[in-house]
Amino acid sequence: MSGTFDDHATAQTTHHQGEIRYVGSREQGETVVTTHPGGERLTPERSLRIARHSPSGFAVGYRGSGPAQLALAVLLDYTDNAALAREHYQTFKDEVISHLEYGADGTWTLTDADIEHVLPDDVTPTA
């Protein structure tokens, strides 16, 4: 998802269960994240306007600044709601992002179920 966001927007996702994935890989020492379907690259720029944990990029597998920036960027992209992302990204980092590991194929994947695990029950996908 791209575009503007509203701190006061209603908390709703805009994806159907099983439809969205974030796939991470390493390219020249940098964690690169793409959204699927669509294949768009997720960058930290939008999330940096909310919190500047890691201007140099994303990371996974520990509870540091790179994983915090990734957690915020994913929640912001997935919900398109800055207030919701700001409220839940540290929990998402601790419970999900810090546990991600690169597989044998050199990637990791986040599903909508992984993301919704940390969101309030009243945040439901829209049609």
Side-chain angles (χ1 to χ4, degrees):
M1 293 169 46
S2 60
T4 60
F5 55 90
D6 179 359
D7 278 343
H8 305 291
T10 303
Q12 292 185 335
T13 60
T14 57
H15 306 287
H16 296 285
Q17 197 74 351
E19 184 177 308
I20 190 75
R21 296 181 297 148
Y22 294 86
V23 177
S25 61
R26 300 218 27 104
E27 292 180 14
Q28 299 177 350
E30 177 183 344
T31 298
V32 175
V33 181
T34 54
T35 61
H36 296 270
E40 294 179 24
R41 187 168 175 173
L42 183 67
T43 64
E45 280 71 29
R46 187 173 173 209
S47 65
L48 288 168
R49 295 192 314 237
I50 296 171
R52 295 187 62 82
H53 291 288
S54 180
S56 61
F58 300 135
V60 298
Y62 66 101
R63 292 182 172 155
S65 60
Q69 201 71 57
L70 176 60
L72 181 56
V74 167
L75 289 183
L76 184 58
D77 183 72
Y78 187 76
T79 66
D80 204 34
N81 183 302
L84 185 70
R86 185 181 302 113
E87 182 177 348
H88 296 283
Y89 81 96
Q90 290 289 355
T91 300
F92 185 49
K93 175 196 72 173
D94 291 343
E95 293 183 11
V96 179
I97 302 296
S98 68
H99 298 282
L100 286 174
E101 296 179 0
Y102 290 93
D105 66 352
T107 68
W108 51 260
T109 301
L110 284 172
T111 66
D112 55 350
D114 296 325
I115 298 164
E116 291 178 11
H117 169 76
V118 301
L119 297 176
D121 290 338
D122 62 345
V123 177
T124 57
T126 59

